[in-house]
Amino acid sequence: MCGITGYIGYRDAYPIIINGLKRLEYRGYDSAGVMLFDGTQINLSKTKGKVSVLEEKVNNEISNKGVIGIGHTRWATHGVPNDVNSHPHISQSGNLVIVHNGIIENYNTLKQELKTRGYTFKSDTDTEVLINLIEEIKTEHNVKLGKAVQIALNQVVGAYAIAVFDKTNPDEIVVARLGSPIAIGVGKDLKEFFIASDASPFIEYTKDAIYLEDEEMAIICQGKEVKVRKIKDDTLVDTDVQELQMNLEQIEKGGYEHFMLKEIYEQPRAIIDTYRGRLLREKGIIKMSGVEDNMGKFLNAERIVIVACGTSWHAALVAEYLFEDFARIPVEVEYASEFRYRNPVLTEKDIVIAISQSGETADTLAAIKLAKERGAFVFGVCNVVGSSIARETHAGAYTHAGPEIGVASTKAFTTQITVLSLMALRLARAKGTMSSSKYRHYLQELELIPQKVESLLKVDDHIKEIAKKYMLSNNCLYLGRGYNFPVALEGALKLKEISYIHAEGYPAAEMKHGPIALIDDRMPVIVIATSKGHYDKVVSNIQEIKSRSGKIIAVVTEGDTIVREIADHVIEVPETEEAFTPLLTTIPLQLLSYHIAVMRNCNVDQPRNLAKSVTVE
Ligand code: M6R
């Protein structure tokens, strides 16, 4: 989980690479580096820290001239983040340079072999081993870079997206992928090419992109068509040049202080984009081709198993309530990382749904592969079009949230719940577990959610005031029941990941089985107490907190009077069906975390130790 960029063409490569790295920083930001070839020599600079630190270093250290180059922003796996372990890595001869996203699992064996042949290593990384392996093969077999890369990758176990440059043949860059994404932007008349982990670094230059599939490689050379080959046996693959749908505006902050805030505010639009063309209220139907085409499988499924990680796992928990409640299909929700390693019982009658914003999460991908091996039908819910998970699954439905850049997921969560609500409703209708009048009512309610989210965003200043009071807290408890239990988990995750305050989410009724011991007058407790979801029971839980002097921030339905009497603060959300309340109650929790993190001077969009897509296990 790192970001890689590259350029070969007629423009100055440096600004393209450096701006590209800034856009890819969501993938990792503990160190960064760049290599430029000025026609004669390699200029390389790398450093611990963010791309802005690299920029300063480049200004002071090296020439930034050249029309060919590669760059990297890192999330450390092998070796601590420091200057030496940063990418690019250079081979022993100084001729070959590589940037790499992924992990070479057998690097130690390869390293020992290379040491016996006289190679020495400066860094602790698997990547430096790979570039020297390529060099050794190139010399030993007397072949060009492309062939050497191919032979080397056939000896490697692990995952990679790589871009490799050879000073002795400086007109090309070799790229390859297995398990980590790589996109090639194709410039007008083949005069220039862009390389990146996703298309965001080159969106203003070209709309034509080639996405390598796993086990594919390409040699990129100015003026020549890109030929994609299988790494294993060198066979040529049909090259599919896709037209990008993304635009520049979508990946910029658009006047907001942080991407996270922009993405919170984008939710009304993102939810509409997600149900557009699917929720046809006037006709009283839901159309989802991925579901329609596989309706037989869904109707015969004995069980749905949902695999996901992090926020997507919380959306999966909401889906458990939705599918069971609406369509009466038994659901199990699994952490992808646990599922893949515990020999799960799966049959051809199971449907596995994989949820992922990025579509690149390694654990979720591995869980999908396992489910497929066991014969299950796998359905993906992803945001990133063409991502690995979207390609690996048998069928799926995209959320149309648009690029999510802030590391903390916001609009991904609400759009995932939107897709899952549509699916649950569609299946309920097909199975006859919901009456047509109730179905129509739910369609109407779901259609109204974006405008309710919009109205909720207007209470941001009130939430900011609450944030001021609790910004110095050390701990925080989030409680919710039923559909809002996953929201409590999600609220706690948001707070801890961006403000570094310890927070825990619990089903409200579980409080008395342990967490109640934590409550004193310094403990803020955020309770979701909407009018329809076991309201009276949650009110009792609030009383229990109050009698132990806990500070209560309650998220209630508009017009609530009972909780208002007891709680220290209330945040009102518009009324809706209980099943859709997570789409509303999650918004104030996102804003609360955001404001607390800003007030604590935390790096909201790039919290410490995290990365946007976790492509390592
Ligand atoms: O891209 P994915 O949805 O598969 O990512 C899963 C998690 O890594 C992600 O949700 C993570 O927990 C976020 N930082 C949460 O805000």
Side-chain angles (χ1 to χ4, degrees):
M1 119 178 125
C2 301
I4 64 180
T5 54
Y7 177 79
I8 176 164
Y10 57 89
R11 307 177 207 241
D12 273 345
Y14 178 66
I16 296 170
I17 290 171
I18 214 81
N19 288 332
L21 290 180
K22 283 182 186 162
R23 288 186 195 154
L24 292 178
E25 266 192 318
Y26 74 87
R27 303 180 64 85
Y29 36 81
D30 59 40
S31 45
V34 62
M35 181 287 301
L36 297 156
F37 182 68
D38 65 8
T40 317
Q41 65 170 34
I42 285 172
N43 290 306
L44 192 147
S45 181
K46 53 188 192 168
T47 178
K48 180 180 173 187
K50 293 186 179 261
V51 178
S52 52
V53 181
L54 174 68
E55 260 182 309
E56 267 175 48
K57 202 168 180 197
V58 169
N59 287 343
N60 297 332
E61 260 181 11
I62 61 164
S63 149
N64 64 13
K65 292 284 159 253
V67 292
I68 181 164
I70 52 180
H72 190 267
T73 176
R74 178 170 188 245
W75 187 85
T77 54
H78 286 82
V80 293
N82 62 24
D83 292 4
V84 178
N85 288 335
S86 309
H87 297 215
H89 286 280
I90 194 155
S91 67
Q92 188 141 298
S93 71
N95 287 335
L96 308 191
V97 188
I98 188 170
V99 286
H100 168 215
N101 168 27
I103 294 181
I104 307 301
E105 285 167 15
N106 60 338
Y107 84 103
N108 219 353
T109 320
L110 297 169
K111 191 171 184 176
Q112 299 319 318
E113 274 172 36
L114 287 167
K115 275 185 179 170
T116 63
R117 293 184 215 170
Y119 285 84
T120 53
F121 296 87
K122 297 185 205 82
S123 77
D124 307 319
T125 65
D126 49 347
T127 309
E128 194 187 5
V129 175
L130 179 57
I131 195 63
N132 282 313
L133 176 67
I134 296 169
E135 176 155 291
E136 171 66 11
I137 291 168
K138 189 170 175 279
T139 318
E140 196 191 329
H141 294 247
N142 192 20
V143 287
K144 288 179 77 176
L145 179 67
K147 194 72 201 162
V149 167
Q150 189 187 7
I151 299 171
L153 292 181
N154 277 310
Q155 296 179 17
V156 150
V157 178
Y160 49 77
I162 53 169
V164 194
F165 171 80
D166 178 4
K167 187 182 157 190
T168 64
N169 188 10
D171 299 326
E172 60 186 38
I173 295 176
V174 178
V175 293
R177 89 160 259 176
L178 175 62
S180 302
I182 201 149
I184 304 163
V186 182
K188 197 161 178 263
D189 301 328
L190 309 178
K191 284 192 183 133
E192 58 184 345
F193 291 95
F194 307 81
I195 296 153
S197 300
D198 69 35
S200 62
F202 54 79
I203 193 70
E204 64 266 56
Y205 300 103
T206 179
K207 291 273 186 221
D208 293 333
I210 299 167
Y211 288 91
L212 289 192
E213 298 283 345
D214 274 350
E215 301 182 354
E216 288 181 355
M217 62 178 289
I219 299 170
I220 301 171
C221 189
Q222 199 188 9
K224 289 193 189 156
E225 251 177 61
V226 176
K227 292 207 170 108
V228 179
R229 294 175 182 278
K230 285 272 171 214
I231 295 168
K232 204 166 182 187
D233 55 15
D234 208 35
T235 49
L236 269 179
V237 177
D238 282 343
T239 313
D240 177 22
V241 182
Q242 299 182 22
E243 194 185 330
L244 297 171
Q245 301 303 327
M246 196 193 286
N247 60 45
L248 192 57
E249 212 177 69
Q250 285 178 311
I251 54 167
E252 289 186 334
K253 282 191 202 148
Y256 287 90
E257 204 184 329
H258 297 100
F259 280 112
M260 182 180 176
L261 190 62
K262 177 186 175 224
E263 287 155 8
I264 291 173
Y265 273 80
E266 278 175 347
Q267 287 175 108
R269 198 266 315 138
I271 296 171
I272 292 176
D273 286 351
T274 298
Y275 70 48
R276 179 177 296 122
R278 292 169 167 165
L279 193 171
L280 307 175
R281 194 207 14 98
E282 282 176 5
K283 291 188 179 159
I285 56 169
I286 287 172
K287 255 173 68 180
M288 297 181 87
S289 56
V291 176
E292 306 305 332
D293 297 348
N294 299 287
M295 191 54 93
K297 290 199 176 66
F298 277 103
L299 294 181
N300 291 326
E302 283 180 356
R303 184 173 72 136
I304 292 179
V305 179
I306 313 184
V307 293
C309 304
T311 289
S312 299
W313 186 79
H314 298 154
L317 288 180
V318 177
E320 179 177 21
Y321 287 85
L322 286 164
F323 284 113
E324 294 200 340
D325 193 6
F326 290 0
R328 308 303 299 145
I329 305 175
V331 175
E332 277 166 43
V333 177
E334 301 265 4
Y335 282 117
S337 54
E338 288 298 314
F339 178 81
R340 60 182 290 197
Y341 284 120
R342 75 169 171 72
N343 197 12
V345 178
L346 275 180
T347 72
E348 283 162 14
K349 291 203 167 151
D350 290 323
I351 289 190
V352 172
I353 299 181
I355 308 176
S356 172
Q357 185 286 129
S358 62
E360 300 296 343
T361 301
D363 285 323
T364 311
L365 254 172
I368 292 169
K369 287 181 181 154
L370 176 72
K372 281 170 75 180
E373 276 163 30
R374 305 263 162 116
F377 171 75
V378 188
F379 190 93
V381 175
C382 288
N383 188 37
V384 178
V385 177
S387 57
S388 302
I389 292 177
R391 286 199 305 258
E392 192 65 43
T393 42
H394 294 116
Y398 283 116
T399 54
H400 294 294
E404 191 182 67
I405 308 225
V407 164
S409 264
T410 51
K411 60 179 181 170
F413 183 63
T414 44
T415 53
Q416 285 165 348
I417 295 174
T418 305
V419 162
L420 294 160
S421 302
L422 290 168
M423 286 177 73
L425 285 166
R426 179 67 192 92
L427 294 177
R429 234 10 241 134
K431 289 194 75 178
T433 50
M434 185 181 277
S435 70
S436 85
S437 59
K438 203 166 175 189
Y439 181 69
R440 278 181 178 271
H441 170 70
Y442 272 106
L443 296 193
Q444 219 162 24
E445 279 297 316
L446 189 54
E447 196 179 36
L448 290 174
I449 291 292
Q451 74 191 56
K452 293 182 180 175
V453 174
E454 198 78 66
S455 74
L456 200 41
L457 291 168
K458 298 204 174 99
V459 302
D460 194 9
D461 284 346
H462 170 52
I463 297 171
K464 208 169 178 176
E465 288 307 309
I466 300 174
K468 267 186 207 157
K469 295 203 158 62
Y470 298 101
M471 61 172 280
L472 296 175
S473 302
N474 292 322
N475 297 289
C476 216
L477 195 58
Y478 286 73
L479 303 176
R481 282 189 88 138
Y483 279 99
N484 282 297
F485 158 52
V487 176
L489 296 178
E490 175 61 6
L493 176 63
K494 285 295 84 92
L495 188 70
K496 57 190 149 194
E497 69 180 332
I498 61 169
S499 72
Y500 319 139
I501 295 175
H502 171 240
E504 293 199 46
Y506 263 92
E510 270 294 300
M511 183 181 64
K512 57 185 174 294
H513 298 289
I516 198 163
L518 295 169
I519 293 175
D520 62 16
D521 58 0
R522 282 164 298 147
M523 174 67 100
V525 187
I526 291 104
V527 191
I528 304 151
T530 46
S531 62
K532 290 184 182 154
H534 318 281
Y535 180 74
D536 294 340
K537 308 259 180 237
V538 179
V539 172
S540 304
N541 297 137
I542 295 177
Q543 295 281 17
E544 288 157 12
I545 303 163
K546 188 76 185 170
S547 18
R548 283 151 188 92
S549 307
K551 297 279 175 271
I552 300 156
I553 303 161
V555 178
V556 298
T557 307
E558 260 166 18
D560 182 287
T561 50
I562 299 170
V563 175
R564 188 173 285 278
E565 288 287 305
I566 325 166
D568 296 271
H569 313 273
V570 292
I571 303 167
E572 291 191 335
V573 300
E575 169 121 42
T576 187
E577 278 303 325
E578 192 197 344
F580 301 146
T581 51
L583 291 165
L584 302 180
T585 51
T586 195
I587 310 289
L589 305 194
Q590 293 169 347
L591 286 167
L592 186 67
S593 305
Y594 170 78
H595 290 304
I596 290 180
V598 171
M599 287 168 194
R600 288 167 71 98
N601 272 328
C602 295
N603 188 335
V604 172
D605 285 333
Q606 294 171 349
R608 68 185 180 204
N609 305 338
L610 291 175
K612 184 69 183 162
S613 41
V614 184
T615 57
V616 292
E617 59 170 289

